[in-house]
Amino acid sequence: ILLDAEGKVGPNFGNLDLKSYCAGDAYQRAGAYLVLKGMVAHWEKKVRDAEFVENTPSNKNNFLQILATGDPKRYLPDPPIIFRLNECTRICLMAQKMTATLVNDPELFDDLPTEIRFVEKALSIKGGTALRQYAIEEFCPAEGITFTALREGMRRLSAQMECMQLDPYGDITNTLLRLSDALAVGSEDERDAFVDYVANTSKNSPGWFQTYTFDHEVNSLVRFLDNTKKIEDGTAGPIEDVSRQLGNEARGLFGFEAKSSFEKEDGSYSVPKKRAMNRPHMVGWLDLLGDEEMTGGLSKKDGEETFESDNWKPVED
């Protein structure tokens, strides 16, 4: 549905006569709305990124943040993308106008699925409490549905959008997921059946398993971050120190790499306490796989590798 809508909306970008190409059955108009709304979210994000990059003076404390903001293709010699603030702003404004034109036309919008019409209203409400109050006291009674049905519809829409590609639907999908989570607060939907498995570090939890540290490669990113300044809880290390270290690490390219402060005299590696968190080191569980994780082979005999597939047999009827 969305791909068909893209084929109609894309070639007509800038055309505010939306009835000429967005009219059709409800599912076709719903697809057009989601394409337009996804376009708005996508270009609003590009505007914010471009505004930050162009208006933030670069220094050693923030250059990594600037470097990681927006599409990295903008640093290519001949960038194949639109990334400048004035260009992104013009496209974003036009996408907003096209979306507003569709929403304000009763023939195009008023009979779309309930959850889609709720999204348009919800995005103008600030705060989760106000959002839930509007949904329970105004929207659901007016639509003749229950709050439970609305939450279900929002979860269904979010799940469907998660199947789309990140570019350009990632931003609108994240917005829908946040709306769905906000609606679930205080309800039975707020309970995550998997939280005991994925967010429980207790050894008595049903999903607990032993993790351990191991000797990362000398030039790995992990060792690089280990050798920045003191690692703060929940972070990879201070950005300003990482930027300083980048300059130091560059010397390694020319054979002047400094010895790691966590390397012992015997060549072994002492993992920083903040990252080790009292976990065992080099337990070696992966060694049980032999070289299978590298080559798929189980063992070597007489210079030849054997593979699990060598023992496969055809199924007999």
Side-chain angles (χ1 to χ4, degrees):
I1 294 174
L2 293 185
L3 293 179
D4 289 341
E6 288 179 6
K8 297 177 181 178
V9 173
N12 287 284
F13 184 78
N15 182 359
L16 295 179
D17 183 15
L18 271 76
K19 283 186 178 179
S20 64
Y21 56 92
C22 286
D25 294 329
Y27 76 91
Q28 294 172 311
R29 288 179 279 115
Y33 171 80
L34 291 173
V35 168
L36 289 169
K37 206 65 178 177
M39 191 186 304
V40 170
H42 182 70
W43 286 99
E44 285 179 347
K45 175 67 164 56
K46 282 185 173 289
V47 168
R48 291 193 299 269
D49 290 343
E51 189 173 20
F52 175 78
V53 171
E54 294 187 16
N55 297 334
T56 303
S58 179
N59 54 57
K60 66 178 183 179
N61 295 325
N62 65 10
F63 92 97
L64 278 180
Q65 184 180 7
I66 295 176
L67 192 68
T69 300
D71 194 328
K73 293 188 182 73
R74 70 178 187 271
Y75 294 112
L76 294 175
D78 186 16
I81 60 170
I82 298 174
F83 65 96
R84 295 181 177 83
L85 179 58
N86 59 341
E87 298 171 336
C88 293
T89 301
R90 287 200 300 269
I91 295 175
C92 183
L93 288 174
M94 179 52 67
Q96 290 173 338
K97 288 181 180 180
M98 294 173 68
T99 305
T101 301
L102 186 148
V103 171
N104 294 329
D105 191 327
E107 295 182 16
L108 295 177
F109 187 75
D110 284 2
D111 64 340
L112 294 186
T114 306
E115 56 269 24
I116 289 181
R117 287 184 284 113
F118 175 76
V119 169
E120 185 62 30
K121 296 286 186 180
L123 292 179
S124 62
I125 300 174
K126 294 184 178 180
T129 301
L131 175 67
R132 292 185 293 275
Q133 183 177 5
Y134 166 75
I136 295 172
E137 298 180 1
E138 297 183 39
F139 186 83
C140 289
E143 295 292 332
I145 63 173
T146 63
F147 186 45
T148 301
L150 176 62
R151 296 198 309 270
E152 180 181 348
M154 286 299 300
R155 291 198 306 273
R156 182 171 55 246
L157 177 60
S158 300
Q160 290 171 331
M161 292 301 295
E162 282 186 298
C163 297
M164 299 302 297
Q165 63 268 27
L166 291 177
D167 187 4
Y169 294 105
D171 297 310
I172 186 61
T173 300
N174 290 335
T175 299
L176 294 175
L177 290 170
R178 289 194 295 269
L179 284 176
S180 183
D181 291 342
L183 290 177
V185 173
S187 71
E188 61 271 18
D189 296 337
E190 188 178 15
R191 176 183 175 274
D192 187 344
F194 301 101
V195 70
D196 291 338
Y197 294 85
V198 300
N200 192 337
T201 58
S202 171
K203 292 185 178 180
N204 298 322
S205 68
W208 184 85
F209 60 92
Q210 177 68 63
T211 62
Y212 63 92
T213 59
F214 60 94
D215 293 334
H216 289 273
E217 296 293 333
V218 174
N219 293 320
S220 67
L221 179 61
V222 175
R223 286 210 186 190
F224 165 71
L225 293 176
D226 282 346
N227 283 283
T228 59
K229 288 181 181 178
K230 180 181 177 182
I231 298 178
E232 304 296 336
D233 290 333
T235 69
I239 290 297
E240 62 273 13
D241 190 63
V242 174
S243 63
R244 179 185 60 79
Q245 284 291 115
L246 278 176
N248 295 337
E249 289 293 317
R251 291 180 296 179
L253 298 175
F254 303 99
F256 300 106
E257 184 177 2
K259 184 178 180 180
S260 168
S261 59
F262 294 99
E263 290 184 12
K264 299 179 182 179
E265 293 297 329
D266 60 0
S268 60
Y269 190 70
S270 177
V271 180
K273 292 182 179 180
K274 286 288 186 180
R275 183 162 65 80
M277 296 187 297
N278 297 320
R279 293 179 296 168
H281 184 66
M282 294 296 290
V283 174
W285 288 358
L286 291 179
D287 296 339
L288 297 175
L289 299 176
D291 64 343
E292 186 175 8
E293 73 277 11
M294 298 296 293
T295 65
L298 296 178
S299 62
K300 292 184 178 180
K301 184 177 181 181
D302 299 328
E304 295 183 358
E305 291 184 337
T306 60
F307 296 88
E308 182 182 0
S309 59
D310 295 336
N311 299 320
W312 290 355
K313 297 180 180 179
V315 177
E316 298 179 357
D317 295 334

